[in-house]
Amino acid sequence: MSAACLAGAKRVIRHLDLAEATALAEEIQNLKTAAEIKRRLTDFAEKCASKKGEPDYV
Amino acid sequence: MELFGKPVSRGIVIGTVLRYKPFCPQLQEEPLSAGTEARMLERYEQTRNKAGEELDALEKQLLDKAPDKAKIVAAHRDILLDPAIDEEIRTMVTGQNLSPDSAIARTYDTYAALLSKSKNKLMQERASDLLDVKGRLLRCWAGEPERNLSVLSEPVTVVADDLYPSDTVALDRTHVLGIVTQVGGATCHTAIIARSYEIPAVLGVEGAMEQLHDGQTIILDAEAGKILIQPSAQDLAEYRTKGERVAAQLREERAYLDKEPITQNGTRLETCLNVAAATAQELAGAAYADGCGLLRTEFLYLNSDHLPDEEEQYRAYKKVLTAFGSKPVILRTVDIGGDKQLTNLELPRESNPFLGVRGLRLSLARPELFRTQVRAVLRASVHGNLQVMLPMVGGLEEIREAKAIFAQEATALDRAGIPWNHHIQIGIMVEVPSIALIADLAADEVDFVSVGTNDLTQYLCAADRMNPAVRPYYQEYHPAVFRILGHLARTFSAAGKKSVYAASWGEILWPSPRWWGWASTSCP
């Protein structure tokens, strides 16, 4: 259900370092192939997903 | 070998195939031989009793675990025992020499057609109940055993052409690991049921019934929208690990539903929800979202045997708006055509429907359909913060034409003294590259932009995403996709207009558009 996806989105956001993500976005704008972009985004998504526990900053 | 489709409910499962083919009746059209009426009526009575016994057993089975579904079964028994319907069938057999199976079909079809034309929504819904009972009677008449998904002896992945409400009403949730269908998409009944039951599902898989066989082991990857046939030992090991990881992730994520979407740096990112139907299941997340970034309105057209009138649409939109309160709801005008064909509207056959009359093109080609939706949208706008999005826009002329129709209908409502929200915003969904390349001109015409990467990628790469032969050319990570995303967000931001990224099921791209400046993301 959509609520499950919303929960997943919030989890990623709460573990997200926006500065790191923005730097990645700039880097990706300069990548030349789909394979390179997929690899960088997949690595980043897996890194976000592997962060454990609830952050205590909010 | 791999098959591809649309992922509509998350997860990865490995299971054996159960091909589900509902009974297809062959009616006897020839008149009865003289003197056989009494024997035929006796057989009809036995058929009716058998159908009644099946419904009794099903109701008993559902009473504890699904009382709501048990009520539906009880309603089916009431229909079966209806004396007026029974009398009509018997009269057709004795008076017109019709075989009872033909009499059953004609009688139930007549009543169902009458109910489906009713203005009362509840009466309309009873039409599908009548057709369900008809199907049960005709199957019992043919002496065929019940084929349903309510009682399964082992875990299976169900493969079907399509699943109907009657197939899913008593779905054995403990044994259905996954769902694959040949037709359907994010808005269809099966998708909504799969999401509400949290069963991984990939729909719209062409050739699934031909390629997949009972008992065959397959991997259903509803994260990527693919089915792996005859997987190797290495595939099985890899996907078992992936599946466990996704399942653990989904379990952990549930705790985040009521949290604020704030990054580690303290930035709050607007996070909305896509909605594909005006049902309690689809609206369950409304309280936890910042709004609805994409209200797909196709459900009113696709899951029905008639085109929705203004009142039916108004009620559905009002229900969604009420669920979201004062939060924004972006309603996409009907996006039919392409892979979404209607049974209740004759559309010309096209050699390439994805490049044909779909989305706003269809709305402008059939203004009577569009005007009905526009009036319903405008009337519903007083019940919340409604915004309108136009799909499949290629140029400024289409935007202007659509806006003119909105203006005309709004003026007519004003004249009739019917209230509507005069601050309603109109935006576009960018799927066609031509409008993306003139984003600066489009930004002068509309209030916001939205994008869905599935269709945009398909048109940018000139590759049908459902065609395995060109799969390597359909590149959702193509640099052009990211350049367009960045270009759109920057252009609309510079014009002081909002941008909303409407994510699709199965993409892992979804958090990244924010980094290119998209103001809001909507979850599938």
Side-chain angles (χ1 to χ4, degrees):
Chain A
M1 62 199 280
S2 294
C5 193
L6 180 67
K10 287 186 176 183
R11 186 200 178 283
V12 172
I13 290 167
R14 289 175 69 85
H15 287 92
L16 190 69
D17 179 338
L18 201 55
E20 187 186 1
T22 306
L24 174 65
E26 284 173 16
E27 178 195 335
I28 282 176
Q29 289 283 26
N30 294 317
L31 296 179
K32 294 175 182 169
T33 68
E36 289 172 41
I37 293 173
K38 182 177 183 179
R39 190 163 48 247
R40 286 296 287 123
L41 277 175
T42 305
D43 288 347
F44 189 77
E46 284 179 359
K47 185 177 166 188
C48 289
S50 68
K51 290 182 180 174
K52 296 290 177 195
E54 164 67 349
D56 56 5
Y57 50 88
V58 277
Chain B
M1 186 184 171
E2 295 176 346
L3 295 175
F4 293 92
K6 297 167 203 155
V8 297
S9 180
R10 292 188 65 189
I12 295 174
V13 286
I14 298 170
T16 52
V17 169
L18 172 73
R19 286 169 88 253
Y20 177 68
K21 279 182 85 172
F23 169 71
C24 186
Q26 305 287 324
L27 300 180
Q28 184 189 320
E29 301 292 351
E30 296 82 32
L32 294 174
S33 313
T36 60
E37 292 91 343
R39 190 157 47 83
M40 286 292 120
L41 280 177
E42 190 183 334
R43 192 177 149 198
Y44 161 66
E45 186 60 31
Q46 290 164 355
T47 298
R48 196 160 163 259
N49 289 341
K50 169 74 178 145
E53 285 165 14
E54 283 184 3
L55 289 168
D56 287 344
L58 187 56
E59 186 190 14
K60 197 174 168 188
Q61 183 190 328
L62 292 169
L63 264 176
D64 288 335
K65 60 180 185 182
D68 287 350
K69 290 175 182 172
K71 280 183 191 166
I72 296 173
V73 174
H76 284 195
R77 194 183 43 235
D78 290 345
I79 292 169
L80 179 75
L81 299 177
D82 186 292
I85 294 177
D86 182 48
E87 183 59 32
E88 203 157 318
I89 291 168
R90 289 173 184 278
T91 305
M92 279 188 185
V93 174
T94 53
Q96 300 175 30
N97 280 343
L98 269 184
S99 176
D101 55 342
S102 288
I104 289 166
R106 283 194 197 184
T107 306
Y108 276 89
D109 284 345
T110 305
Y111 278 100
L114 280 172
L115 288 180
S116 68
K117 286 175 189 155
S118 167
K119 289 195 184 304
N120 183 315
K121 180 79 180 159
L122 280 173
M123 296 297 275
Q124 283 175 18
E125 286 168 357
R126 295 308 289 268
S128 62
D129 291 326
L130 278 162
L131 296 176
D132 269 351
V133 176
K134 178 189 87 169
R136 182 177 294 278
L137 271 168
L138 292 176
R139 180 180 49 72
C140 290
W141 173 263
E144 290 283 329
E146 182 161 27
R147 290 176 209 159
N148 68 36
L149 302 170
S150 64
V151 185
L152 299 167
S153 56
E154 57 181 3
V156 292
T157 295
V158 174
V159 178
D161 180 52
D162 196 5
L163 293 177
Y164 296 96
S166 55
D167 302 317
T168 53
V169 66
L171 192 74
D172 183 349
R173 292 166 63 175
T174 54
H175 286 108
V176 176
L177 299 175
I179 296 173
V180 176
T181 64
Q182 295 198 132
V183 300
T187 63
C188 76
H189 169 79
T190 307
I192 292 163
I193 288 291
R195 285 198 288 272
S196 70
Y197 289 175
E198 298 184 5
I199 297 173
V202 178
L203 311 186
V205 182
E206 280 184 34
M209 289 295 272
E210 289 76 37
Q211 301 283 345
L212 302 175
H213 308 290
D214 282 328
Q216 192 177 27
T217 299
I218 59 167
I219 297 171
L220 170 64
D221 180 356
E223 299 291 298
K226 68 179 176 184
I227 293 108
L228 279 78
I229 307 173
Q230 294 175 328
S232 65
Q234 190 184 344
D235 289 335
L236 288 170
E238 182 188 334
Y239 276 88
R240 201 164 281 128
T241 308
K242 273 189 187 176
E244 284 165 5
R245 196 173 63 208
V246 171
Q249 193 182 328
L250 289 171
R251 279 195 300 276
E252 192 210 335
E253 284 172 1
R254 285 193 193 112
Y256 285 80
L257 186 60
D258 61 352
K259 306 283 186 191
E260 282 291 306
I262 298 175
T263 67
Q264 286 183 7
N265 320 65
T267 305
R268 194 181 188 288
L269 299 178
E270 188 174 293
T271 307
C272 299
L273 198 58
N274 294 353
V275 171
T279 61
Q281 294 104 319
E282 275 295 284
L283 297 171
Y288 309 105
D290 291 324
C292 171
L294 171 60
L295 168 57
R296 305 173 199 266
T297 56
E298 294 77 60
F299 70 91
L300 287 161
Y301 299 77
L302 293 168
N303 301 326
S304 172
D305 55 2
H306 65 281
L307 290 171
D309 63 17
E310 182 183 325
E311 196 57 32
E312 185 178 352
Q313 293 188 54
Y314 164 77
R315 283 197 303 267
Y317 305 151
K318 180 184 171 186
K319 190 172 175 184
V320 177
L321 284 162
T322 305
F324 280 91
S326 60
K327 299 170 186 172
V329 171
I330 298 179
L331 177 148
R332 184 176 69 185
T333 59
V334 67
D335 188 12
I336 294 168
D339 57 341
K340 288 175 256 178
Q341 295 292 324
L342 295 182
T343 53
N344 49 26
L345 178 68
E346 191 80 23
L347 296 174
R349 284 196 172 276
E350 295 175 298
S351 57
N352 191 341
F354 276 105
L355 298 180
V357 184
R358 60 169 292 204
L360 184 61
R361 296 173 183 179
L362 179 67
S363 293
L364 296 177
R366 301 291 295 265
E368 74 284 3
L369 286 181
F370 190 46
R371 285 181 184 276
T372 301
Q373 181 170 39
V374 168
R375 285 193 299 274
V377 167
L378 289 171
R379 283 176 53 207
S381 66
V382 296
H383 297 292
N385 182 359
L386 181 61
Q387 300 170 15
V388 175
M389 179 164 68
L390 308 170
M392 192 67 186
V393 173
L396 302 186
E397 299 88 343
E398 297 143 52
I399 298 171
R400 289 172 183 163
E401 198 177 338
K403 285 172 71 178
I405 289 174
F406 266 91
Q408 289 159 11
E409 294 301 331
T411 303
L413 289 181
D414 281 340
R415 282 202 197 106
I418 297 170
W420 61 282
N421 181 355
H422 285 63
H423 303 291
I424 199 166
Q425 293 193 337
I426 295 186
I428 52 170
M429 175 162 255
V430 172
E431 298 139 302
V432 184
S434 60
I435 198 73
L437 290 170
I438 56 166
D440 56 328
L441 304 178
D444 289 339
E445 303 277 338
V446 296
D447 300 304
F448 64 92
V449 66
S450 180
V451 71
T453 52
N454 280 348
D455 280 339
L456 179 61
T457 303
Q458 176 167 259
Y459 293 130
L460 270 177
C461 298
D464 178 355
R465 68 186 148 140
M466 307 307 289
N467 181 354
V470 292
R471 185 73 198 171
Y473 299 98
Y474 177 87
Q475 297 186 344
E476 56 265 69
Y477 299 98
H478 196 291
V481 174
F482 292 87
R483 289 194 183 191
I484 291 262
L485 287 175
H487 170 66
L488 286 170
R490 280 192 301 273
T491 306
F492 273 76
S493 176
K497 306 284 174 77
K498 189 175 176 179
S499 54
V500 180
Y501 180 84
S504 303
W505 283 94
E507 28 177 292
I508 70 158
L509 272 182
W510 70 263
S512 57
R514 300 170 191 282
W515 318 334
W516 280 276
W518 287 77
S520 177
T521 293
S522 195
C523 303

